[in-house]
Amino acid sequence: FETGDLNFIARTKEAYVYENPRALPRVMLLGDWRAADFAKLTTDGWPADVDPAKTVLLEKSISAPSSPDGNAGSVQLVSYTNTEVVVAIDATSGGVLLLNDVWDPWWRVAIDGAPAELLRANVIFRGVQVPAGKHTVRFTFEPFRGAWAELKEKIAGR
């Protein structure tokens, strides 16, 4: 950050509070995606030719076609708590719902109540591939289910 990049908001006894006016929204519906090597991204940085407001980088390829204009429809954050995030979408042609919130394998995601695959997006965030149409997407944090799934994978791998 350069001087002046952040707006001063307030001062408390313990800290200064600033706003980043260039921060991306908490939820985004993007039509443009690319598979990326996340290990390389963490060492080399974000690719100069990728606009994070239009393109999401995914840990692996998905079946949805990518749209270069990046616009996939509208999105609205319905509710947000520590263990559940609900998003309403109206996807014109499908795409990737990006939740700019920390990725963890113990999160689960469902579209209209049906389980969907949680995608690791932009190295540290969560995403899900969504079909065209109006849908409700629910992210839920399920640590016991996640820990059980990891334990079963470790046992099966021995």
Side-chain angles (χ1 to χ4, degrees):
F1 289 102
E2 299 291 324
T3 302
D5 280 354
L6 303 176
N7 298 330
F8 175 75
I9 301 295
R11 167 83 169 105
T12 68
K13 281 174 92 175
E14 296 82 22
Y16 292 92
V17 180
Y18 291 90
E19 173 191 36
N20 179 354
R22 293 186 318 262
L24 294 172
R26 174 76 66 181
V27 291
M28 303 168 67
L29 187 57
L30 300 165
D32 191 28
W33 65 269
R34 296 183 196 175
D37 179 346
F38 282 7
K40 186 174 180 182
L41 282 173
T42 58
T43 58
D44 296 353
W46 191 265
D49 65 334
V50 175
D51 179 353
K54 294 181 179 179
T55 303
V56 60
L57 300 179
L58 300 175
E59 188 173 41
K60 64 181 190 173
S61 292
I62 58 173
S63 61
S66 186
S67 169
D69 69 4
N71 185 8
S74 63
V75 61
Q76 178 185 5
L77 187 60
V78 175
S79 67
Y80 184 94
T81 68
N82 288 341
T83 59
E84 181 180 74
V85 179
V86 179
V87 181
I89 65 163
D90 188 356
T92 54
S93 60
V96 176
L97 172 63
L98 172 64
L99 175 59
N100 287 313
D101 218 0
V102 177
W103 182 89
D104 185 284
W106 293 357
W107 280 92
R108 300 292 180 254
V109 63
I111 300 172
D112 299 328
E117 181 182 7
L118 181 68
L119 302 172
R120 193 167 185 172
N122 294 347
V123 181
I124 61 170
F125 297 131
R126 287 177 258 157
V128 63
Q129 181 179 341
V130 294
K134 293 183 181 188
H135 303 283
T136 299
V137 178
R138 184 178 312 273
F139 294 88
T140 53
F141 187 63
E142 299 180 17
F144 296 115
R145 189 169 155 196
W148 179 248
E150 282 184 19
L151 181 60
K152 287 191 328 187
E153 285 179 21
K154 285 181 183 179
I155 291 169
R158 287 188 189 171

